[in-house]
Every structure is written in structure tokens, then in C-alpha cells.
Amino acid sequence: MKKSFALFTLIFSTSFLFAQQADQLVAEVMDAMGGKQHFYNLGNVTYDYEYRAPNNSLTLVGKETYVFDGELSRGDYSKHSMLDANGKVLEGFDGQNAWVKFDGKLSSDEKANGVARFLRKTNYYWFTMFFKLQDEGVNLEHIGSYKVEGREYDFLKVTFGDKVGDAQDTYVLYINKRTKLVDQFLFTVIGFGVTEPNLMKVKYETINGIKIPTDRVYIASNWDGGSIEGKEWTTTYWTNIRFNT
């Protein structure tokens, strides 16, 4: 009985220590990026968006607008190959429901509205994700420290509760031990049935005192962070970023 209790105490203490390490890492990331409160105090953001995926010929070009209070999201597209649209596409998300307009006409197409919901929530999340790591229902686990391409990283696994978001993806963040920034991360896309990870690499620029990962490329990967042979890099660029409009 004493041995069982001692083992339980050891497991509990170790788990608590790992949780503390994860929480500390997240706090350091947010501070390095300019501060969570400072970010949300900016109120809203608008920026030009360009996404090109050579592996499946997907192209998205438009302007994104988010209001942080309520996680409202809007996308005005001049190119939207996910919906096979040649004209103007307008997507919106009011915090609960998504909608899409083609050339000013509200669509009742279930697939189109599903794509709009996915993009509205996903694009918003990727812009704000490093400031959402302390949100309720986010599970954090420090899974070790490793050297990658000559740099020392803390690896942070991020998962989500059953009712958090439309789909519960898995992320592994590579936190640079020197800068405290996330240089790259692995992620799944469960909403589209992708359970094997992609590897995202980012570069930052500072706007209004906030570091924003404006230059983003990703490729099909494995959980060791290696790229899959024969696949090309998907690119995403955020430009003309303006806060508090």
C-alpha cells in the first residue's frame, strides 16, 4: 500500500511539474511576442492574404478582417479556388454562424458555407493562436528539449478538449530557447481528414509592438518533423497589416 501511494505521489508530482513547465513556456512565448493583453487591446486587425498550395493547385487571394472580441471574422476574396469561384467571394463569421456571398448574393449551398466556416475559424485561429494557448480547454504538455538545425528547442504538445472548436487538432510547437518564439510547428487538419502532420515554418515582423508570423510555409511531414519526398511547400503571406481600425 505504501509503495502504491509513493508511486501515485511521484506520478502526480511529475505531471504537475510538466504542467508548470508548459505554462511557463507559454507565458514566455506571449511575452516575447509583445504581450497577450497588448495584443487584444489592439481590438481588431485587417491584412492582405495570399495562400498558394502547389500540391493541389489551391489559391486564395483577398483581405482578412478580425474583431478579437467575439472572434468575428470576414474574408473578401478576389480568388477562391476552394469554391471554384471566379468572381468576388465574401465570407463572414459572427461568432456562431458562417455565411458566404458570391458576387453579392447570399449562398444557401451547404458545402460553400462549410468551407466558409472552416476558413473563417482557421484563419482567425492561426493569426491569434500563440495568444490563445491559455484559453480554457487547451491542453499543454512539455515533451522534451531537442536540437533542430543547430538550434535548441523546447517541444510543446497542444491538444484540445472534446468540445473545443469544430475539430480537435494536434500541434507540436518548436519554441526557440534563445528567442522564446515559435520558429515552426507540426499540425493536423482533422476537419479535412488529415491525421498525419504538416510542418509549418514561420518568419516574424513586428507591427504595433507585436511580433506577427507573416511569412509562412508548410509541407507534408511526419511526427519527427521531416518533409515528405515529392511534396512542395505551400506558402501563405500576410501583408499590409493594420490594427485598431
Side-chain angles (χ1 to χ4, degrees):
M1 184 67 178
K2 288 183 178 180
K3 288 184 178 180
S4 298
F5 179 75
L7 180 59
F8 172 80
T9 302
L10 177 61
I11 293 173
F12 178 81
S13 299
T14 302
S15 299
F16 181 73
L17 179 61
F18 286 163
Q20 282 186 314
Q21 289 175 331
D23 290 341
Q24 179 64 29
L25 287 171
V26 164
E28 290 173 350
V29 168
M30 291 184 182
D31 286 344
M33 293 191 66
K36 178 180 178 179
Q37 194 58 54
H38 175 49
F39 175 76
Y40 282 115
N41 284 346
L42 293 171
N44 60 40
V45 68
T46 182
Y47 64 94
D48 294 335
Y49 173 84
E50 181 178 328
Y51 171 95
R52 298 186 185 278
N55 296 300
N56 52 21
S57 300
L58 287 180
T59 300
L60 299 167
V61 179
K63 183 177 289 292
E64 295 279 311
T65 303
Y66 312 138
V67 177
F68 301 144
D69 184 9
E71 302 194 354
L72 313 182
S73 173
R74 170 183 173 130
D76 297 84
Y77 290 100
S78 57
K79 294 183 179 179
H80 199 317
S81 64
M82 288 185 74
L83 295 176
D84 297 321
N86 295 318
K88 182 179 178 181
V89 177
L90 174 62
E91 296 178 348
F93 180 70
D94 63 9
Q96 292 185 327
N97 301 305
W99 47 267
V100 60
K101 288 183 177 182
F102 295 99
D103 292 324
K105 296 181 180 179
L106 191 65
S107 174
S108 59
D109 182 81
E110 185 175 336
K111 178 182 177 181
N113 283 301
V115 169
R117 182 179 179 89
F118 172 81
L119 286 176
R120 291 304 86 227
K121 292 175 72 69
T122 298
N123 288 2
Y124 177 91
Y125 181 75
W126 275 8
F127 192 90
T128 61
M129 64 179 286
F130 299 135
F131 296 106
K132 290 178 63 63
L133 292 172
Q134 294 174 331
D135 285 6
E136 185 177 354
V138 179
N139 306 312
L140 305 171
E141 181 183 358
H142 181 230
I143 56 175
S145 299
Y146 305 94
K147 181 176 285 189
V148 179
E149 297 178 349
R151 298 183 181 91
E152 294 285 348
Y153 289 97
D154 283 303
F155 280 31
L156 186 69
K157 183 178 180 180
V158 182
T159 57
F160 302 87
D162 290 340
K163 296 182 179 180
V164 178
D166 290 352
Q168 290 70 50
D169 286 300
T170 297
Y171 289 75
V172 176
L173 310 184
Y174 292 52
I175 302 173
N176 189 308
K177 286 195 172 188
R178 182 179 61 84
T179 66
K180 305 303 181 183
L181 296 174
V182 177
D183 289 350
Q184 60 189 48
F185 58 88
L186 297 167
F187 67 97
T188 60
V189 190
I190 299 299
F192 278 80
V194 181
T195 58
E196 289 300 305
N198 290 288
L199 174 67
M200 174 83 77
K201 295 189 175 186
V202 303
K203 295 180 181 178
Y204 294 85
E205 62 180 293
T206 302
I207 301 169
N208 288 57
I210 298 293
K211 291 189 182 301
I212 307 294
T214 55
D215 186 323
R216 307 159 66 85
V217 297
Y218 73 83
I219 196 167
S221 181
N222 52 47
W223 290 110
D224 292 327
S227 59
I228 302 301
E229 186 176 352
K231 297 296 183 179
E232 296 184 61
W233 291 88
T234 293
T235 60
T236 305
Y237 299 108
W238 302 338
T239 55
N240 300 320
I241 296 173
R242 294 186 297 134
F243 286 103
N244 198 23
T245 60

